[in-house]
Amino acid sequence: MAEGRVDWAASLVEELRKNFLKGKTRSYEWRVGQMRRLIQMIEEKESEIMQALSDDLCKSQIESFIQEISMAKESCKLVIKELKRWMKPEKAKTGLTTFPSSAEIVSEPVGVVLVISAWNYPFVLSLDPVIGAISAGNAVVLKPSEVSPATSSLFAKILPDYVDTSVVRVVEGSVGETTALLEQQWDKIHYTGNSKVARIVMAAAAKHLTPVVLELGGKSPVIVDSNVNLEVAAKRITVGKWGSNNGQACIAPDYIITPKSFAPKLVDALKSTLEEFYGKDPSESKDLSRIVNSNHFKRLTNLLDDEKVLDKIVYGGQRDEKHLYIAPTILLDAPEDSLIMKEEIFGPLMCIVTVDKVEDSFHVINSKPKPLAAYLFTKDKKLEKMFVSSISAGGMLINDTTLHFANPTLPFGGVGESGIGSYHGKFSFDAFSHKKGVLYRTFGGEASARYPPFTPRKQRVLRALLTGDFIGLILSLIGWSKA
């Protein structure tokens, strides 16, 4: 069976590469045509997309629309608007050593690419990299996550009706199919998920020297200064955490750091906001997603059942395994060696860590692996500058959470443990393009000094040319030497 999967995967890649080499994906018209077809798919299948997201994650229709459907559609529209400019060769400067000449940087497709997507935002995190791959002129295989089976099945059902299937394919399956795909030689692999699987992807890619984009996660911190508008801060933290797929988002706030004297006010503000947003019994709210499956439910309850944090829960903690529900939960000063402070939470649990003064937060963050996102709430411009300059993270946002993901003019990606490479907007086009340097010369402008035999005069000319000694160059050319 495994051998059969590998043969099938090899045949698929061979077919796509053959079709890619015919050159049709390179044209502007083809790329824009695919974008228009994807927009048509999103519009015509919106209700089915929403149903799949509800089946997989119990997402509300408005959350599905705002955070997945509209974002994918806007990505297509941006490509249509900007692609001609993106594809245009960039002029590059030339130097004296190549005079007379001109130069440019040409963006060309890398070839046949593999996109392995995630389950938590299974529509937009599948389609957005595919949009980038197509906009750059590549053939692409999408492998949706089997953890979100309804959305995976929907892609397999509807995508072939809208895209050019000679160069764009969907492959469903689980570990066996993914493993078979990873054994093939791709020109680029884009993976969204966790660092454990990312290491497997990177090891497989290394066998073929295949470049990768790894969109991972980590423990994204939120620093809350005591001088903030607390009501606004609490709302923005709450919607970024529990309003983002109930915390099952790579850029959702993982833990908060705040001064010890301010912590009680912050806890009260978060409690009040949670009740305002989701009611006294959040299990009855239609705006709160559920845990994706029983495995993740058990993983999260293990974090809560760690004896080191049993007395640290100050809000929430209720759970219902039958309905895959865990209440929005706040923990105060969980020990650094507890599971919840060592592992990425990826769920509705939020830890608050207290420090003596807000500047101590930087040490807390820098003592951990670099996060995908880092957030700061403050009115202090000096603290903002310190935050940006001293904290390394994939991306940052001041006085809000998660919204940087929606800005296509910013690169989205991680650093260190949180990922490699970036995408979104033109960064997606660039991620799936090879930047080819091209130098143009005519048959004029011959310089005898570049050719053997290298006489002393030629050596003086070359040395002056390569060191930028213009006076020495002129003297050498007219037969003089420096005294």
Side-chain angles (χ1 to χ4, degrees), residues 13 36 68 95 131 164 181 185 198 211 231 287 298 305 326 344 346 379 397 399 465:
V13 175
R36 292 196 173 104
E68 302 225 36
I131 290 166
D164 184 345
L181 289 170
Q185 182 166 0
E231 181 181 355
D287 296 317
K298 291 174 182 175
D305 292 338
I326 298 177
E344 182 181 7
F346 221 74
K379 293 180 179 178
L397 184 52
N399 292 328
L465 181 65

Side-chain angles (χ1 to χ4, degrees), residues 158-394:
I158 67 174
L159 197 60
D161 292 337
Y162 291 89
V163 297
D164 184 345
T165 55
S166 69
V167 283
V168 182
R169 298 286 180 85
V170 179
V171 172
E172 282 201 283
S174 55
V175 175
E177 286 73 20
T178 304
T179 301
L181 289 170
L182 286 173
E183 289 190 25
Q184 309 311 310
Q185 182 166 0
W186 303 90
D187 297 298
K188 195 144 199 179
I189 298 173
H190 187 292
Y191 167 75
T192 305
N194 62 64
S195 58
K196 180 180 178 182
V197 177
R199 285 172 167 81
I200 297 171
V201 171
M202 201 168 183
K207 294 177 183 178
H208 302 289
L209 296 180
T210 300
V212 297
V213 175
L214 303 177
E215 296 299 335
L216 309 178
K219 296 185 74 65
S220 295
V222 185
I223 299 174
V224 181
D225 199 357
S226 58
N227 63 6
V228 299
N229 182 322
L230 187 52
E231 181 181 355
V232 172
K235 287 181 176 180
R236 293 177 179 179
I237 293 169
T238 298
V239 79
K241 175 68 171 181
W242 294 281
S244 295
N245 198 27
N246 205 3
Q248 297 169 112
C250 55
I251 55 172
D254 189 279
Y255 66 103
I256 297 171
I257 313 172
T258 197
K260 190 180 296 290
S261 60
F262 188 67
K265 292 181 181 178
L266 178 59
V267 170
D268 287 343
L270 289 172
K271 288 179 180 179
S272 176
T273 304
L274 281 165
E275 188 171 315
E276 177 187 347
F277 286 4
Y278 305 113
K280 291 186 179 296
D281 183 0
S283 68
E284 296 180 357
S285 173
K286 298 188 182 301
D287 296 317
L288 201 63
S289 300
R290 296 296 184 261
I291 308 306
V292 65
N293 59 30
S294 58
N295 289 334
H296 281 275
F297 182 90
K298 291 174 182 175
R299 176 185 62 81
L300 288 164
T301 55
N302 285 340
L303 298 183
L304 279 181
D305 292 338
D306 180 359
E307 61 180 12
K308 294 177 180 178
V309 302
L310 291 177
D311 61 344
K312 303 299 181 180
I313 298 173
V314 294
Y315 181 81
Q318 300 83 7
R319 79 271 313 254
D320 178 353
E321 186 170 5
K322 180 181 177 181
H323 296 98
L324 296 177
Y325 167 77
I326 298 177
T329 302
I330 301 172
L331 300 92
L332 183 60
D333 278 329
E336 277 295 315
D337 62 348
S338 60
L339 291 175
I340 202 166
M341 286 305 298
K342 291 193 294 185
E343 299 179 9
E344 182 181 7
I345 294 173
F346 221 74
L349 319 179
M350 175 79 89
C351 292
I352 296 178
V353 176
T354 62
V355 290
D356 291 331
K357 56 184 187 297
V358 71
E359 290 81 5
D360 295 339
S361 304
F362 298 160
H363 172 72
V364 175
I365 297 170
N366 287 330
S367 68
K368 302 178 185 296
K370 297 175 182 180
L372 182 59
Y375 306 109
L376 169 67
F377 286 83
T378 187
K379 293 180 179 178
D380 186 339
K381 293 298 180 182
K382 183 179 178 182
L383 189 65
E384 281 185 17
K385 290 181 180 179
M386 289 174 60
F387 176 71
V388 173
S389 64
S390 63
I391 300 296
S392 180

Side-chain angles (χ1 to χ4, degrees), residues 26-220:
R26 291 177 176 266
S27 77
Y28 168 82
E29 291 75 17
W30 181 86
R31 303 183 201 188
V32 168
Q34 295 300 292
M35 293 301 109
R36 292 196 173 104
R37 293 288 287 165
L38 287 173
I39 290 173
Q40 183 183 354
M41 180 190 78
I42 294 168
E43 290 176 344
E44 293 179 351
K45 303 297 182 180
E46 181 177 307
S47 61
E48 293 180 48
I49 296 166
M50 285 183 170
Q51 185 59 55
L53 294 171
S54 177
D55 291 344
D56 284 331
L57 291 150
C58 216
K59 284 194 181 186
S60 69
Q61 289 194 354
I62 190 62
E63 182 177 344
S64 295
F65 180 79
I66 292 173
Q67 299 182 4
E68 302 225 36
I69 294 169
S70 67
M71 290 188 68
K73 188 175 177 180
E74 287 304 309
S75 290
C76 293
K77 288 182 176 179
L78 183 65
V79 172
I80 293 171
K81 180 183 177 183
E82 301 289 351
L83 183 58
K84 192 165 286 187
R85 182 172 63 86
W86 295 348
M87 290 177 67
K88 188 177 181 180
E90 303 171 43
K91 292 295 182 183
K93 292 182 179 180
T94 56
L96 188 60
T97 54
T98 62
F99 179 85
S101 64
S102 62
E104 64 183 10
I105 301 166
V106 176
S107 295
E108 66 177 10
V110 294
V112 183
V113 304
L114 173 63
V115 172
I116 305 174
S117 68
W119 57 261
N120 57 327
Y121 286 85
F123 186 74
V124 70
L125 293 185
S126 294
L127 207 54
D128 212 32
V130 170
I131 290 166
I134 292 174
S135 74
N138 299 282
V140 57
V141 170
L142 168 63
K143 168 58 184 68
S145 174
E146 68 276 14
V147 181
S148 49
T151 308
S152 176
S153 177
L154 182 67
F155 271 121
K157 174 186 172 185
I158 67 174
L159 197 60
D161 292 337
Y162 291 89
V163 297
D164 184 345
T165 55
S166 69
V167 283
V168 182
R169 298 286 180 85
V170 179
V171 172
E172 282 201 283
S174 55
V175 175
E177 286 73 20
T178 304
T179 301
L181 289 170
L182 286 173
E183 289 190 25
Q184 309 311 310
Q185 182 166 0
W186 303 90
D187 297 298
K188 195 144 199 179
I189 298 173
H190 187 292
Y191 167 75
T192 305
N194 62 64
S195 58
K196 180 180 178 182
V197 177
R199 285 172 167 81
I200 297 171
V201 171
M202 201 168 183
K207 294 177 183 178
H208 302 289
L209 296 180
T210 300
V212 297
V213 175
L214 303 177
E215 296 299 335
L216 309 178
K219 296 185 74 65
S220 295

